[in-house]
Amino acid sequence: MNAAILAQVVVNGLLLGGLYAAIAAGFSLVWGVLNVVNMLHGSAVVLGAYAAFFGWQLGINPFLAALLVGPAIGLLGWVVQRFIVQRVIAAPVLITLVLTFALDLILNNAMLAAFTADYRKIGSITGLPPLIVGSVAISADRLIAAVLGIAATFAVHLYLTRSRLGRAIVAVRMDQETARLMGVKVEHIYALTFGLGLALAGVAGCLIAAVFPISPLNSGSYLGVAFVACVLGGLGSVNGAIIGGLVLGVVESLGSMLVGAEYGVTVASVLLILMLLWRPQGLLGRAGYD
């Protein structure tokens, strides 16, 4: 392998990782704050992608569509948590896991019935030729999608650290009982966090639709990406989701080159197992912080 090919593969992995970060951040946030493994997350990504696809057919740029699709799917997430998930929020994790899995089946099958399993693809958005940096060619659409993915994730980090509601989410994440005693309405924070998580999924879907073909069949792979990147970065850490997404993207890209693209999921699974054995709290997580 020469240096030029290696540089191209790493850059491709970083661009892919930017999208993975946006997928993982919302999943990690919901898991960390609500202690709910949201199996609905992958289908929410696909739903956002379809919204961007049909918006594109109406002349709406997918990057701009994310500004509408994210809040819309976030509102759907708020409703789902407030009126369905909240009813079993105090139950064992297995119950909420089964519940969100059932919701995922309903949404995924509804999309299959409405849109079929056929793959659909948005054409070039910018129409610009690839950027050439040395020996590395960078797709303009992929670069913009990756930058926007990381920017959306970083915006959530700023919201959590700079706003009153964001700090309330962090407080519930750290100790919900103490937060409740301090006057935080924990049930409201749960619904807000679930909505915020699905809003990020919707934004990620719009960015993915700008780069990759979409189908309801992809929801499982996006859920897997969220799972692995979340574990890599650290449970409940938005910054960790960025690091986890970038690492996963580069590892997948290198793995695809070395052992074949068809083994990308296997490479990610091996990475997940190694991470759980070496540092189960993730790169930016804290041991014993649950």
Side-chain angles (χ1 to χ4, degrees):
M1 181 195 316
N2 61 46
I5 294 177
L6 179 61
Q8 182 69 62
V9 170
V10 171
V11 169
N12 290 343
L14 290 173
L15 296 180
L16 185 61
L19 297 177
Y20 284 178
I23 295 174
F27 182 80
S28 179
L29 191 63
V30 170
W31 193 355
V33 176
L34 281 73
N35 197 29
V36 169
V37 180
N38 183 19
M39 304 294 285
L40 184 61
H41 198 79
S43 289
V45 173
V46 175
L47 182 63
Y50 271 106
F53 175 79
F54 290 117
W56 170 255
Q57 291 190 322
L58 295 175
I60 302 174
N61 187 305
F63 298 140
L64 297 178
L67 298 175
L68 300 175
V69 174
I73 295 183
L75 178 61
L76 173 65
W78 187 93
V79 171
V80 167
Q81 199 287 330
R82 188 69 183 83
F83 297 102
I84 300 177
V85 178
Q86 181 61 34
R87 293 177 179 274
V88 297
I89 197 69
V93 172
L94 182 61
I95 300 299
T96 55
L97 183 72
V98 172
L99 175 64
T100 57
F101 179 65
L103 292 171
D104 175 69
L105 287 179
I106 292 171
L107 178 58
N108 196 258
N109 279 285
M111 288 191 292
L112 279 170
F115 311 134
T116 77
D118 293 341
Y119 281 86
R120 307 187 191 199
K121 177 72 174 70
I122 292 176
S124 175
I125 297 172
T126 62
L128 296 173
L131 304 175
I132 305 299
V133 181
S135 61
V136 177
I138 304 173
S139 163
D141 288 349
R142 289 196 178 204
L143 178 61
I144 293 173
V147 169
L148 291 179
I150 293 178
T153 307
F154 189 66
V156 171
H157 167 73
L158 291 179
Y159 176 75
L160 293 177
T161 54
R162 304 294 175 83
S163 72
R164 185 179 180 85
L165 278 176
R167 289 195 294 272
I169 291 175
V170 175
V172 172
R173 162 75 176 91
M174 297 177 68
D175 189 334
Q176 64 162 292
E177 291 305 325
T178 301
R180 193 189 300 277
L181 290 174
M182 297 299 290
V184 175
K185 295 180 180 179
V186 174
E187 289 74 18
H188 173 65
I189 294 300
Y190 281 164
L192 175 66
T193 305
F194 201 91
L196 188 57
L198 284 201
L200 271 174
V203 170
C206 291
L207 301 179
I208 286 171
V211 177
F212 297 113
I214 59 172
S215 166
L217 301 178
N218 293 132
S219 64
S221 62
Y222 294 143
L223 179 63
V225 164
F227 215 108
V228 175
C230 174
V231 171
L232 283 174
L235 179 63
S237 170
V238 174
N239 288 336
I242 297 177
I243 300 298
L246 293 175
V247 170
L248 178 60
V250 172
V251 169
E252 268 197 17
S253 189
L254 288 172
S256 296
M257 182 189 67
L258 295 174
V259 299
E262 65 272 26
Y263 296 108
V265 175
T266 303
V267 171
S269 300
V270 171
L271 181 64
L272 173 64
I273 293 171
L274 293 176
M275 195 67 195
L276 288 172
L277 293 174
W278 172 58
R279 189 177 168 85
Q281 71 270 29
L283 294 172
L284 299 187
R286 292 165 51 185
Y289 187 59
D290 57 9

